[in-house]
Amino acid sequence: MVNLKEKPFFLDDRKIEWVEETIRSMTPEEKIGQLFINLTLDRSPETIDRLCNEYHIGGVRWQGGSLEEVYEQNRMFQEKSRIPVLIAANCEAGGNGAVGEGTMIATGAACGASPSDSTVRAMAKVGGTEAAAVGCNWTFAPVCDVVSNWRNTIVNTRAFGDDPDRIIELSKAYMEEMEKLGIACAAKHFPGDGSEERDQHLVMGCNDLSCEEWDASFGRVYKALIDAGLPSIMVGHICQPAYSRRFRPGIKDSEIKPATLSPELLGDLLRGQLGFNGLIVTDASHMAGLTAAASRRDVIQGVVAAGCDMILFFNDPAEDLSFVREGLESGVITEERLSDALHRILGLKARLGLDSLVFPDKSGLAAVGSAEHHRLAAEAADNSIALVKDTQNILPVSPEERKRVRLYFLQSAPVSLMDGPDPAKQILIDELEAAGFEVTAPDDYYEMEMKNSSRFNRFRAMTHENTGEFRRNCDLVLVAVNMKGYAKENNTRLSYSVSHSGEIPWYTHEVPTVAVSLNYTNHLIDLPMMKTYINAFGSTREYIHALVEKLTGKSEFRGRSSDLVFCGRWDTRL
């Protein structure tokens, strides 16, 4: 039985009695409902009432909605729930992980590149303030993964880097700032992403480190955070074969499961060896890394039986709840395991003060997207943007000497042509022109199609120019890459809008060229011909303004890079 007086709950007798009395008062259906966190897409009063009073959910995570809508939604959840709910946000980069109007401060990679912990503290402070304003009490962060594989784009920008000591420092700073704001952290993604390149949305991840390698990296990080009072951990759909084999000698390859279904990884490793006493929540239960392991019935019953206390997202609420009920009736889930989960769920709620909940006043919404928060975003951008290399010694560039800029903006294919072009392109044009440059930015194939769909646009995008005219009309080429990928492909590499595109770098020996990534840090693998390369970590106005300031020498580059940016190749360093 969990001891709620111990770390990380530290409950006094009054709060423990609230936990015990609440559990005693629950119906069997209420107990089962507490295990689930709902992904809210429909925020109508009728839907929220059903989630609270028919399904008895224990937690909430939502998708979309304006500031006012999210505030009212969360207020209704707390008002309609007999037992207050945990309301989670993904504050991995700031308040934009809580609500659309929130402030993006810095990605994990930007925090890791900054020379001090001031950036991560600002990110957590702003994220926590803006999340708390709409009633959140839980953040699915910090992302404490250790990125050792440059091919990994799943946590490339979300994690703090590849140095366990630095990750511990920044994760603890994040936790401290969230603690001040009364928000619980859920560090992720145990047993650890970043050592391979596959996306757990699409396939079971595999942390293939040896036990000794894992202990020195991921294990070291998690142990430090647990000792510091980490209240909850999100478990990824990632296996760790070395530890499964150590704790289960003779286990067959076919029996190795993601951590969410592995009692040896949750019980023997996380609870036992690392001494974690807090709440365990699964990553999203619709991800193929989990669903490919077993049927939905076996998955839902299995994660609870293995040691997960809460399940992130329903598939079908009535069906998923029935699966847990069947698991209890069959003995797959024991009453002791259910009781243990409920004590940790209610224990976390009591730790957060939900035993005497007062929903935040609406006046707090004024902090969301405030001028002060955007000032902190600008400061974070200034501190993090990193010059990876400038072997041609072209920086800084002056609009007096290199006035005419050709901008090639390489963006991901839009989900729909109705989405319009990446707004970062126009922001970059505006900032360059404000600095005194004359910018020519040809349309790529997607933009041509947005303006006038034609079977000939593909060939127009393939057009190459006369090199003599190009040199006479252009003083500098800027290649900006803003590729994005999520739950669609296992890793994201640079991609041009059509084959044989005019964007492909034919021009690097014609006109001095500078490349900058606004997102992933590993694009040198596809751009080794670029002699000047910058990782800017963001595509917001603050980051692009700071980038232009640094290009023109008005601000120094303060960010730092690890060797992972060179992708293990000699030619990327030239």
Side-chain angles (χ1 to χ4, degrees), residues 83-354:
I83 302 165
V85 292
L86 294 166
I87 302 180
N90 273 3
C91 293
E92 298 179 8
N96 60 324
V99 67
E101 294 93 328
T103 313
M104 185 277 195
I105 299 295
T107 63
C111 294
S114 297
S116 73
D117 69 359
S118 63
T119 298
V120 73
R121 288 189 182 277
M123 183 263 277
K125 179 180 179 181
V126 170
T129 299
E130 296 186 350
V134 294
C136 293
N137 46 46
W138 201 10
T139 176
F140 292 156
V143 180
C144 63
D145 293 311
V146 184
V147 183
S148 58
N149 187 336
W150 66 262
R151 293 178 178 85
N152 186 294
T153 50
I154 315 311
V155 294
N156 175 281
T157 61
R158 300 164 67 196
F160 296 127
D162 62 342
D163 179 1
D165 289 334
R166 180 72 167 153
I167 294 166
I168 290 168
E169 175 193 2
L170 299 182
S171 295
K172 288 171 71 173
Y174 182 95
M175 287 166 53
E176 288 168 8
E177 295 300 324
M178 285 292 176
E179 183 72 24
K180 294 174 187 176
L181 295 163
I183 294 180
C185 291
K188 59 189 184 186
H189 308 81
F190 182 87
D193 205 337
S195 65
E196 70 144 357
E197 62 190 89
R198 296 183 298 180
D199 184 347
Q200 289 72 59
H201 291 85
L202 309 176
V203 62
M204 181 180 73
C206 193
N207 184 312
D208 270 328
L209 301 183
S210 68
C211 294
E212 293 72 25
E213 289 170 329
W214 191 89
D215 290 344
S217 55
F218 294 98
R220 185 174 177 182
V221 170
Y222 275 104
K223 180 60 175 168
L225 301 189
I226 290 166
D227 289 347
L230 177 66
S232 62
I233 287 175
M234 177 178 283
V235 176
H237 309 308
I238 303 169
C239 66
Q240 217 299 319
Y243 260 114
S244 286
R245 293 182 176 117
R246 171 174 289 186
F247 287 119
R248 299 292 186 272
I251 189 172
K252 299 176 183 177
D253 288 353
S254 60
E255 295 171 333
I256 290 175
K257 301 294 184 185
T260 33
L261 287 168
S262 299
E264 70 274 12
L265 297 182
L266 299 184
D268 297 301
L269 180 57
L270 183 54
R271 294 276 189 222
Q273 185 169 307
L274 297 180
F276 182 59
N277 187 45
L279 184 146
I280 296 174
V281 57
T282 75
D283 206 338
S285 68
H286 59 259
M287 292 163 65
L290 179 64
T291 60
S295 68
R296 183 71 184 179
R297 172 184 281 102
D298 290 343
V299 157
I300 291 298
Q301 295 176 5
V303 294
V304 180
C308 295
D309 303 308
M310 297 193 82
I311 301 168
L312 185 58
F313 305 153
F314 289 111
N315 180 43
D316 176 82
E319 183 180 57
D320 282 351
L321 291 164
S322 73
F323 289 154
V324 175
R325 189 184 314 113
E326 291 172 16
L328 286 164
E329 292 169 354
S330 68
V332 171
I333 303 171
T334 66
E335 289 293 339
E336 290 78 11
R337 174 77 272 274
L338 177 63
S339 175
D340 185 67
L342 290 171
H343 278 83
R344 287 193 167 90
I345 296 166
L346 274 293
L348 182 59
K349 292 182 178 185
R351 181 186 188 273
L352 291 168
L354 300 188

Side-chain angles (χ1 to χ4, degrees), residues 381-397:
D382 184 49
N383 281 327
S384 61
I385 295 175
L387 175 62
V388 175
K389 67 174 183 177
D390 182 25
T391 58
Q392 62 183 333
N393 296 313
I394 194 177
L395 297 181
V397 292

Side-chain angles (χ1 to χ4, degrees), residues 395-397 432 478 514 534 546-553 555 557:
L395 297 181
V397 292
L432 288 167
L478 179 62
V514 175
I534 298 162
L547 168 66
V548 175
E549 291 270 294
K550 294 177 190 302
L551 284 171
T552 56
S555 171
F557 287 93

